Amino acid sequence: MLSLLHIENIAVIEQAEIAFDRGFNVLTGETGAGKSIVIDAISAILGERTYRDVIRTGTDRAFVGAVFTDVPELSWFQENRVDYEPGELLVQREIYGDGKNVCRVNGRPVTVAILKKLGGQLVNIHGQHDSQQLFDETKHLSYLDLFAQNAPAREAYERAYEQVAALRQEKERLTMDEGEKLRRVEALQYQLEEIQRARLQPGEDETLEQRRKLLQNAQKLSEHLAMALDALSGGDDQSGAADLTGEAAHTLSRIARYDDAIAALSERLGTVQIELSDVAGEIRERLEQLAYSGEELEQIESRLDVLHRLRRKYGGSVEEILEYAQRAQTELDEITFSEERLEQLEAALQAATEEAQRLGLQLRQTRQNAAQAMETRLSQELAALDMPRAQFICELTEQPLGPSGIDQLRFLMTANVGEALKPLSKVASGGELARIMLAIKNVLAEQDQVGTLIFDEVDAGVSGRAAQKVAEKLRSVSRSKQVLCVTHLPQITAAADVHLLIAKSERQGRTYTQVTPLDRAGRTREIARIIGGAEITETTLRSAEEMLQSDRK
């Protein structure tokens, strides 16, 4: 369960530390007090997308930390090499103004994506928009699959369908009319001939560019190299640096036997003279390389022009042009031998389709079995939520092979006796939709190990007796799961084990939000406010007290 939540600089919350308990926890407060901010903070440490504009004005970062207790030994810890101490888990997330996020689990850094995989195993958040998703029939199959716990069968089918899709795509690529085929063959042959005529060599464009640059500056290079060579080797009956250094070394060698230091200097000068001679030799070689004819430069320019023309058509370098030629040759071979390849593809596609169909039928069986059980459970849940006459049906129909299988599912229901079954969008009111989603969430929660369920204002459109039934259901769920609920209904508030008040205040021109756990007297006043609005009277206080007392009977 989520036992502690620490928030810093999230919107109007400068700092808050919220302790949750087992059972049923409710959060109440005036509209705009910051209840949704608490849920956003929890979403952040679950790895959900968080934007930098949540950072409190005037600060450069926000921080959320959470302590979870009684956490089972999930495979996630081993897969991500995160140390695990049985029972307790610390999750932290920092959000910076430049968009950077730093996430840690038990002190170890993790990415937001990896954190999200963990978060999905710890907490399930149900918000108002989730109920609206029930109108989207493309999502209905995912609810049934969660209930069916059929992940192995679904994943096996999905792998088979991916193979079918890949073979279909290749077949479509090779299937073209004769005119289109002829035009494509002629285009590919022309391109290949043009590239082959050029007789390209990898890296030759760079080599030629360097040689051209050298030749274009040959005169300047020759002059300066000649000057350097004269300085080293001498010229016009003058000695160069290499010769003079050799003479100095020889002179010192004649007296080296009298002084070891002089001997060392002589030896060093000898080494310098050898190095200078080597440098002079290399300069002489470079001068010889600079000898060229105008014809060579003209040939280089012509060759580079050919390469430039090919680069504009087929790639930015010789290597890319050659890679393009390989792809063109492969495509040409495929078209040339397309009839044979199409025969192979047809056989492979038929086999892959048969396998996908077989796995699709196995997947369908899991769904058919689960659909009946889900209908029964949902009918029981809806009856407990003051919809005793509701009929809920999972209508499975067959469809061609698709990404989700060979099934199409839509939820049908009727809330009243004698009315025909219709899609949810045709029959469900806002209050009914909220209860249907609550029923689905509860049924699905029975199938997973998630320990905490959060309901964010899911009581929209619910009132009176239905509100009391929703409160009883949430309280019942909280006996096996930790439940956190943001609510505006006094019936739900009175049913809670822990009541947290979220209130907003202003100090020195800034807005602050505080989260306060309420005792019995505080709960009575808050429920009275929810019942009667801003003005709390003796009558509303008595009503609140009666609700708290009756809920504990």
Side-chain angles (χ1 to χ4, degrees):
M1 72 169 191
L2 174 61
S3 60
L4 186 67
L5 180 69
H6 182 84
I7 304 172
E8 293 180 15
N9 299 324
I10 297 282
V12 294
I13 300 180
E14 181 182 44
Q15 184 166 319
E17 194 157 280
I18 310 171
F20 299 101
D21 206 340
R22 300 180 186 281
F24 191 10
N25 301 254
V26 297
L27 296 87
T28 67
E30 295 280 6
T31 300
K35 299 185 292 299
S36 61
I37 298 170
V38 175
I39 304 301
D40 290 344
I42 296 175
S43 297
I45 52 96
L46 298 179
E48 296 296 332
R49 176 175 291 182
T50 301
Y51 298 96
R52 58 188 177 187
D53 57 8
V54 304
I55 301 173
R56 183 175 173 82
T57 302
T59 62
D60 58 3
R61 72 164 192 127
F63 174 83
V64 186
V67 175
F68 292 87
T69 53
D70 299 330
V71 179
E73 190 169 354
L74 304 170
S75 60
W76 183 93
F77 294 106
Q78 187 173 0
E79 291 167 1
N80 295 284
R81 299 180 181 179
V82 173
D83 293 336
Y84 170 76
E85 291 294 333
E88 190 162 286
L89 174 68
L90 174 63
V91 182
Q92 299 167 303
R93 183 171 179 180
E94 292 175 281
I95 304 150
Y96 290 86
D98 60 2
K100 179 183 175 184
N101 279 249
V102 178
C103 306
R104 293 184 177 86
V105 178
N106 283 347
R108 186 178 182 86
V110 297
T111 65
V112 174
I114 291 174
L115 177 60
K116 186 172 183 177
K117 291 181 180 178
L118 173 64
Q121 300 179 64
L122 298 175
V123 177
N124 188 326
I125 298 180
H126 169 42
Q128 293 182 65
H129 68 282
D130 290 345
S131 296
Q132 295 301 315
Q133 288 183 357
L134 286 175
F135 289 153
D136 185 356
E137 294 179 353
T138 63
K139 299 184 182 298
H140 291 180
L141 202 56
S142 63
Y143 292 123
L144 179 60
D145 284 341
L146 285 172
F147 181 80
Q149 298 281 285
N150 60 3
R154 190 179 68 252
E155 290 167 2
Y157 171 81
E158 288 171 350
R159 288 192 295 270
Y161 180 76
E162 286 173 2
Q163 180 67 14
V164 171
L167 290 169
R168 282 176 177 171
Q169 186 176 21
E170 185 177 356
K171 181 181 175 183
E172 289 173 3
R173 187 165 53 83
L174 293 179
T175 304
M176 58 181 75
D177 62 44
E178 289 303 315
E180 183 183 356
K181 184 184 295 186
L182 181 60
R183 287 190 296 273
R184 187 59 181 155
V185 166
E186 290 177 349
L188 289 170
Q189 287 175 338
Y190 173 81
Q191 292 168 354
L192 284 168
E193 289 171 4
E194 185 177 31
I195 294 172
Q196 289 164 359
R197 278 198 308 270
R199 300 181 181 277
L200 302 175
Q201 297 297 321
E204 71 167 303
D205 48 349
E206 296 178 2
T207 302
L208 290 171
E209 291 281 4
Q210 292 173 357
R211 180 63 177 167
R212 180 175 67 175
K213 183 178 180 181
L214 189 69
L215 297 183
Q216 286 174 335
N217 296 278
Q219 183 176 353
K220 182 185 294 186
L221 290 169
S222 296
E223 291 175 358
H224 287 76
L225 285 171
M227 291 169 61
L229 185 61
D230 286 347
L232 290 172
S233 300
D236 298 331
D237 299 327
Q238 293 182 349
S239 297
D243 294 333
L244 293 173
T245 302
E247 289 179 11
H250 177 68
T251 300
L252 290 178
S253 69
R254 295 168 62 184
I255 58 174
R257 66 180 181 273
Y258 304 118
D259 189 337
D260 291 343
I262 293 174
L265 290 172
S266 174
E267 188 174 332
R268 287 171 63 189
L269 281 172
T271 302
V272 171
Q273 191 268 337
I274 292 171
E275 181 68 20
L276 290 174
S277 296
D278 287 345
V279 172
E282 291 185 21
I283 291 174
R284 193 173 291 107
E285 288 179 9
R286 295 299 293 171
L287 272 168
E288 292 171 359
Q289 291 174 4
L290 286 173
Y292 73 99
S293 64
E295 183 180 352
E296 180 187 0
L297 184 57
E298 185 177 331
Q299 289 174 347
I300 289 174
E301 294 286 4
S302 176
R303 181 62 174 172
L304 284 173
D305 184 60
V306 171
L307 296 181
H308 177 69
R309 188 169 64 254
L310 292 176
R311 281 197 303 241
R312 289 179 59 187
K313 290 183 178 181
Y314 307 116
S317 65
V318 169
E319 285 75 13
E320 290 180 14
I321 296 170
L322 293 172
E323 288 173 5
Y324 179 87
Q326 287 181 342
R327 293 196 301 272
Q329 186 64 59
T330 299
E331 185 180 351
L332 182 60
D333 292 342
E334 286 178 347
I335 296 174
T336 304
F337 303 104
S338 60
E339 294 301 325
E340 296 156 6
R341 178 57 182 157
L342 280 171
E343 289 180 8
Q344 296 172 354
L345 282 174
E346 192 61 47
L349 180 58
Q350 183 177 349
T353 302
E354 289 173 358
E355 176 64 6
Q357 189 72 31
R358 184 184 69 81
L359 293 171
L361 288 170
Q362 291 182 0
L363 179 58
R364 157 169 275 205
Q365 189 62 53
T366 68
R367 288 167 171 169
Q368 287 175 332
N369 294 339
Q372 296 178 350
M374 188 174 183
E375 289 170 358
T376 301
R377 282 293 297 116
L378 283 175
S379 294
Q380 294 170 349
E381 291 292 316
L382 291 172
L385 291 169
D386 201 37
M387 296 179 67
R389 305 295 186 185
Q391 264 190 292
F392 192 96
I393 298 295
C394 298
E395 184 187 63
L396 269 173
T397 55
E398 189 170 353
Q399 67 167 8
L401 287 176
S404 301
I406 59 174
D407 305 301
Q408 185 174 356
L409 173 69
R410 62 174 183 168
F411 294 146
L412 303 178
M413 74 163 290
T414 174
N416 303 298
V417 176
E419 295 293 329
L421 290 164
K422 294 180 181 179
L424 296 182
S425 59
K426 304 292 185 183
V427 297
S429 66
E432 288 170 338
L433 202 62
R435 281 178 282 170
I436 294 168
M437 179 54 83
L438 176 57
I440 291 174
K441 287 285 184 176
N442 188 34
V443 167
L444 295 180
E446 297 170 352
Q447 308 295 317
D448 61 39
Q449 295 182 341
V450 172
T452 299
L453 302 178
I454 298 178
F455 297 93
D456 183 14
E457 298 191 17
V458 296
D459 48 31
V462 179
S463 61
R465 178 175 168 178
Q468 184 59 40
K469 292 294 185 179
V470 170
E472 292 170 3
K473 174 52 63 178
L474 290 172
R475 187 172 177 83
S476 173
V477 172
S478 72
R479 295 302 170 253
S480 58
K481 307 268 187 182
Q482 182 191 36
V483 173
L484 278 57
C485 182
V486 175
T487 184
H488 291 288
L489 289 180
Q491 295 93 329
I492 293 177
T493 305
D497 300 307
V498 176
H499 187 168
L500 300 166
L501 174 64
I502 301 179
K504 184 168 63 176
S505 62
E506 293 183 8
R507 297 194 305 271
Q508 298 177 343
R510 293 298 303 274
T511 301
Y512 296 84
T513 290
Q514 298 84 34
V515 182
T516 307
L518 298 180
D519 57 15
R520 179 59 176 252
R523 294 191 66 187
T524 301
R525 289 191 62 82
E526 175 62 5
I527 294 173
R529 181 197 65 78
I530 295 173
I531 294 171
E535 186 176 351
I536 299 175
T537 66
E538 290 297 325
T539 302
T540 55
L541 285 169
R542 281 196 300 271
S543 297
E545 185 61 36
E546 286 175 5
M547 293 183 73
L548 285 170
Q549 289 176 351
S550 62
D551 187 70
R552 293 297 179 264
K553 290 180 181 178

